[in-house]
Amino acid sequence: MVLSKEKKLEMYGKMVKIRSFEERIVDLYARGLVPGLAHLYIGEEAVAVGACANLRDDDYITSTHRGHGHVIAKGADVRSMMAELFGKTTGYCKGKGGSMHIADVNIGILGANGIAGGGLPIGVGAGLSAKYRKTDQVTICFFGDGASNNGTFHESLNLAAVHELPVIFTCENNQYAISTQQRMHQTIKDVSIRATSYDIPGVTVEGNDIMAVYEAINKAVQRARSGKGPSLVECKTYRWRGHHEGDPNLGERYRSREDIKPWVEKCPITRFERLLLKEKVLTKAKIDQIKETVKKEIDEAVEFANNSSFPKHEDIYQDVFQEEMGGSR
Amino acid sequence: MREITYAQAINEALRENMRRNSRIILMGEDIGRYGGIFQVTVGLLDEFGPERVIDTPISEAGFVGTCVGAAMTGLHPVAEVMFIDFTTCAMDMIVNQMAKMHYMSGGRGKVPFVLRTNIGAGRGAAAQHSQSFHSFFMHIPGLKVVTPATPYDAKGLMNTALVDENPVMFIEHKKLFITKGHVPEESYAIPFGKADIKREGTDITIVATHALVQKSLNVAEEMSREGVEIEVLDPRTISPLDREAILNSVKKTGKLITADEGCVTGGFGSEVAAIVAQEAFDYLEAPIMRVGSPDTPVPFSPPLEQFYIPDEGSIKDAASRILAYQ
Ligand SMILES: Cc1ncc(C[n+]2csc(CCOP(=O)(O)OP(=O)(O)O)c2C)c(N)n1
Ligand SMILES: [Mg+2]
């Protein structure tokens, strides 16, 4: 597949941005500046970026508890994200949602989700709505290998298949649901074979190879946009950090450093970097420049978050309901 | 006496009962090698093996229903649902199946099944990992709902749960897991439906659950110095509920505060208030006050979350309003 140099640079930049954002959270979390549950995406960047590179601003995604990568890939602003993680009023959710609930409906981010498998039916709903409204918008539902065992996965694929909805079910198979290895939670190796049950296309790709992800999702997006219905794309990958920051020693209760090592060697960013250097899209100097720009952006985001204010007590009662009335419009 | 944590107390009760009763099995997400995300089941996989300590896929409806079926056919399962928020994924199994099986079958089928889960905010985990809707389950006939506030109660109540032949919702509190208290090494059982007067007093009754028991005790100590003697009553099970103990206490003090971490509207405190208003109206000397969480989802931002969680300040406010009433 031929992608423009600009597009490739944009994709590379987003991967770097996700990585730096997450690395900064490691530090901020350790210093107690980011409270709560932070599930980091380090090592899985190629999936979100490769997938979302196929989307327009008016397309939708539903995300997961491990959502920072998805929303950055879809175009979220890191300042509003950082402020949200700090619990500040200038955050995406005015501090009410935190890491697991970042949403920006203006750019099609229908929300990260604290419920494993909670996003899939919502993605189907977005697909139904796009079809009903006769737009050609598509929806990518991200979810993990673990979430593929929730009944919502099966119900969603079935519904989307029956109604030929423009949804791309994108499984990030990082081989674990918290401590539970894939072989302990399902007998299949490839989640994509479940597509057969719903008579839709299903493929498995190397999730650390951004071009492979891009191409598989591209096909699925074309199918969805042309009204032919949903697909299931599985991306095999691995998370480097613990399940969340606070999972002791990168998950030593259920895996060893030795298990992690080969995956660090298969770093999706280094891999893409090598390709782009070979293609002369990137140079060493350009890499440094991109990393420097991203670092500045993250620094600014932290500063913005730090300088923003916490909500006031009375804000707790706001936003339980939408106060404006709807009706025929 | 030896002190252990609330989590260890539950672990000990599970372990002792599993040694005695081979019908008991455990099911839940990450309860084996990981020991449960709150470390309640640590060591049980090693002692009892993977046939009895079963790590499940993320399939709450599936494994809760599996426990119902296993219970109907001779086992005594204990499920761990990681957070009470996720019981909603298994609501059909809990509300329509587990709770009603015995009744619907005219008393023929039984469901000896303990569903463990936990409530409580305060960990910055936001709206889908912090809720306290245990009172939902007291609205469902057929379920027993247990709400331990101390390590001692947790062990004694779990011992009862594991000989009860009915479905039991065993609702722990995530902020209590690491609290310590005296727990006898020997086995003992605390009956369901029997409240514990955690502190005697003559002036105000506080009916408190979970973490609010200790917070009420703190307020009681403080107000005692001002000459107000608060009685703190912990029902320990909200279904069955020890109405008699509550009514007797209110008949003595004439004043009632309920303190429960659920949203105030339609919650445990409302039920207690209604019972007292109905059965002890003539004894009341002041309006009943309910302490609980605001009727909003649990917010993430630390200052909002702190404001959300009812604490000593909320109890004292309620007490002063009662005392100011003429
Ligand atoms: C319905 C539900 N059950 C349990 C959980 C607790 N939980 C949070 S993340 C997780 C594992 C998810 O695994 P997977 O879907 O593979 O995503 P990953 O964390 O690997 O990205 C679990 C069990 C949850 N959030 N929702
Ligand atoms: Mg996973």
Short mmCIF file of all heavy atoms in Angstrom, two decimals, chain B residues 37-59:
data_model
loop_
_atom_site.label_atom_id
_atom_site.label_comp_id
_atom_site.label_asym_id
_atom_site.label_seq_id
_atom_site.Cartn_x
_atom_site.Cartn_y
_atom_site.Cartn_z
N ILE B 37 -7.53 -9.18 43.11
CA ILE B 37 -6.88 -7.88 43.02
C ILE B 37 -6.76 -7.22 44.40
O ILE B 37 -5.93 -6.35 44.59
CB ILE B 37 -7.53 -6.91 42.03
CG1 ILE B 37 -8.98 -6.74 42.34
CG2 ILE B 37 -7.33 -7.32 40.59
CD1 ILE B 37 -9.44 -5.39 41.83
N PHE B 38 -7.56 -7.66 45.38
CA PHE B 38 -7.38 -7.13 46.74
C PHE B 38 -6.72 -8.17 47.65
O PHE B 38 -6.77 -8.06 48.87
CB PHE B 38 -8.71 -6.65 47.30
CG PHE B 38 -9.25 -5.45 46.56
CD1 PHE B 38 -10.34 -5.57 45.70
CD2 PHE B 38 -8.63 -4.22 46.68
CE1 PHE B 38 -10.82 -4.46 45.01
CE2 PHE B 38 -9.10 -3.11 45.98
CZ PHE B 38 -10.20 -3.23 45.14
N GLN B 39 -6.17 -9.21 47.03
CA GLN B 39 -5.35 -10.19 47.76
C GLN B 39 -6.14 -10.99 48.80
O GLN B 39 -5.58 -11.44 49.79
CB GLN B 39 -4.15 -9.48 48.41
CG GLN B 39 -3.26 -8.77 47.39
CD GLN B 39 -2.49 -9.74 46.51
OE1 GLN B 39 -1.53 -10.33 46.93
NE2 GLN B 39 -2.97 -9.93 45.28
N VAL B 40 -7.43 -11.14 48.55
CA VAL B 40 -8.26 -11.87 49.52
C VAL B 40 -8.08 -13.38 49.38
O VAL B 40 -8.20 -14.13 50.35
CB VAL B 40 -9.76 -11.47 49.36
CG1 VAL B 40 -10.66 -12.33 50.23
CG2 VAL B 40 -9.94 -10.00 49.72
N THR B 41 -7.76 -13.85 48.17
CA THR B 41 -7.66 -15.30 47.96
C THR B 41 -6.21 -15.78 47.87
O THR B 41 -5.95 -16.89 47.40
CB THR B 41 -8.43 -15.71 46.68
OG1 THR B 41 -7.97 -14.89 45.59
CG2 THR B 41 -9.92 -15.51 46.85
N VAL B 42 -5.29 -14.96 48.36
CA VAL B 42 -3.87 -15.33 48.30
C VAL B 42 -3.61 -16.70 48.93
O VAL B 42 -4.14 -17.01 49.99
CB VAL B 42 -3.04 -14.26 49.06
CG1 VAL B 42 -1.67 -14.77 49.43
CG2 VAL B 42 -2.91 -13.01 48.21
N GLY B 43 -2.85 -17.51 48.24
CA GLY B 43 -2.44 -18.79 48.81
C GLY B 43 -3.45 -19.92 48.64
O GLY B 43 -3.13 -21.09 48.87
N LEU B 44 -4.66 -19.60 48.24
CA LEU B 44 -5.68 -20.65 48.18
C LEU B 44 -5.48 -21.57 46.97
O LEU B 44 -5.74 -22.77 47.04
CB LEU B 44 -7.09 -20.04 48.18
CG LEU B 44 -7.39 -19.20 49.44
CD1 LEU B 44 -8.80 -18.62 49.39
CD2 LEU B 44 -7.22 -20.02 50.72
N LEU B 45 -4.97 -21.01 45.87
CA LEU B 45 -4.67 -21.86 44.71
C LEU B 45 -3.60 -22.88 45.09
O LEU B 45 -3.72 -24.07 44.77
CB LEU B 45 -4.19 -21.00 43.53
CG LEU B 45 -3.71 -21.78 42.30
CD1 LEU B 45 -4.87 -22.52 41.63
CD2 LEU B 45 -3.04 -20.85 41.29
N ASP B 46 -2.59 -22.43 45.79
CA ASP B 46 -1.51 -23.35 46.18
C ASP B 46 -2.04 -24.47 47.06
O ASP B 46 -1.68 -25.63 46.90
CB ASP B 46 -0.42 -22.59 46.97
CG ASP B 46 0.42 -21.73 46.03
OD1 ASP B 46 0.40 -22.00 44.81
OD2 ASP B 46 1.07 -20.79 46.52
N GLU B 47 -2.89 -24.12 48.00
CA GLU B 47 -3.38 -25.16 48.91
C GLU B 47 -4.44 -26.05 48.28
O GLU B 47 -4.43 -27.26 48.50
CB GLU B 47 -3.93 -24.53 50.20
CG GLU B 47 -4.47 -25.61 51.15
CD GLU B 47 -4.72 -25.15 52.57
OE1 GLU B 47 -4.30 -24.04 52.94
OE2 GLU B 47 -5.34 -25.93 53.33
N PHE B 48 -5.34 -25.50 47.47
CA PHE B 48 -6.48 -26.30 47.02
C PHE B 48 -6.46 -26.67 45.54
O PHE B 48 -7.29 -27.46 45.09
CB PHE B 48 -7.79 -25.59 47.38
CG PHE B 48 -7.93 -25.34 48.86
CD1 PHE B 48 -7.72 -24.08 49.40
CD2 PHE B 48 -8.24 -26.39 49.72
CE1 PHE B 48 -7.82 -23.85 50.76
CE2 PHE B 48 -8.35 -26.18 51.09
CZ PHE B 48 -8.14 -24.90 51.62
N GLY B 49 -5.54 -26.08 44.81
CA GLY B 49 -5.38 -26.47 43.40
C GLY B 49 -6.39 -25.84 42.47
O GLY B 49 -7.40 -25.27 42.90
N PRO B 50 -6.11 -25.96 41.16
CA PRO B 50 -6.92 -25.26 40.16
C PRO B 50 -8.32 -25.85 39.96
O PRO B 50 -9.15 -25.24 39.30
CB PRO B 50 -6.09 -25.39 38.88
CG PRO B 50 -5.20 -26.55 39.10
CD PRO B 50 -4.95 -26.64 40.58
N GLU B 51 -8.58 -27.03 40.53
CA GLU B 51 -9.96 -27.54 40.41
C GLU B 51 -10.90 -26.82 41.36
O GLU B 51 -12.11 -26.77 41.13
CB GLU B 51 -9.99 -29.04 40.72
CG GLU B 51 -9.61 -29.86 39.52
CD GLU B 51 -9.70 -31.34 39.78
OE1 GLU B 51 -10.17 -31.75 40.87
OE2 GLU B 51 -9.28 -32.08 38.89
N ARG B 52 -10.33 -26.31 42.44
CA ARG B 52 -11.19 -25.66 43.43
C ARG B 52 -11.03 -24.15 43.44
O ARG B 52 -11.88 -23.44 43.99
CB ARG B 52 -10.91 -26.23 44.82
CG ARG B 52 -11.29 -27.70 44.93
CD ARG B 52 -11.13 -28.21 46.35
NE ARG B 52 -12.08 -27.63 47.27
CZ ARG B 52 -12.01 -27.76 48.59
NH1 ARG B 52 -11.03 -28.45 49.13
NH2 ARG B 52 -12.92 -27.20 49.37
N VAL B 53 -9.94 -23.67 42.86
CA VAL B 53 -9.74 -22.21 42.80
C VAL B 53 -9.61 -21.88 41.32
O VAL B 53 -8.56 -22.08 40.71
CB VAL B 53 -8.49 -21.79 43.59
CG1 VAL B 53 -8.29 -20.28 43.49
CG2 VAL B 53 -8.62 -22.21 45.05
N ILE B 54 -10.70 -21.40 40.75
CA ILE B 54 -10.81 -21.32 39.30
C ILE B 54 -10.75 -19.87 38.82
O ILE B 54 -11.62 -19.05 39.13
CB ILE B 54 -12.13 -21.98 38.84
CG1 ILE B 54 -12.18 -23.43 39.33
CG2 ILE B 54 -12.27 -21.89 37.31
CD1 ILE B 54 -13.54 -24.10 39.15
N ASP B 55 -9.68 -19.58 38.06
CA ASP B 55 -9.58 -18.27 37.40
C ASP B 55 -10.52 -18.29 36.21
O ASP B 55 -10.44 -19.18 35.36
CB ASP B 55 -8.16 -18.06 36.89
CG ASP B 55 -7.28 -17.39 37.94
OD1 ASP B 55 -7.75 -16.47 38.63
OD2 ASP B 55 -6.11 -17.80 38.06
N THR B 56 -11.37 -17.28 36.11
CA THR B 56 -12.35 -17.29 35.03
C THR B 56 -12.01 -16.26 33.96
O THR B 56 -11.30 -15.30 34.23
CB THR B 56 -13.76 -16.94 35.56
OG1 THR B 56 -13.72 -15.57 36.00
CG2 THR B 56 -14.16 -17.84 36.70
N PRO B 57 -12.55 -16.46 32.77
CA PRO B 57 -12.50 -15.39 31.77
C PRO B 57 -13.35 -14.20 32.24
O PRO B 57 -14.08 -14.32 33.22
CB PRO B 57 -13.15 -16.04 30.54
CG PRO B 57 -13.20 -17.49 30.80
CD PRO B 57 -13.23 -17.66 32.28
N ILE B 58 -13.23 -13.09 31.52
CA ILE B 58 -14.08 -11.93 31.83
C ILE B 58 -15.48 -12.25 31.32
O ILE B 58 -15.83 -11.95 30.18
CB ILE B 58 -13.54 -10.66 31.17
CG1 ILE B 58 -12.09 -10.40 31.62
CG2 ILE B 58 -14.41 -9.45 31.52
CD1 ILE B 58 -11.43 -9.23 30.93
N SER B 59 -16.24 -12.92 32.14
CA SER B 59 -17.57 -13.41 31.74
C SER B 59 -18.42 -13.45 33.00
O SER B 59 -18.76 -14.52 33.50
CB SER B 59 -17.47 -14.83 31.18
OG SER B 59 -16.48 -14.93 30.17
#
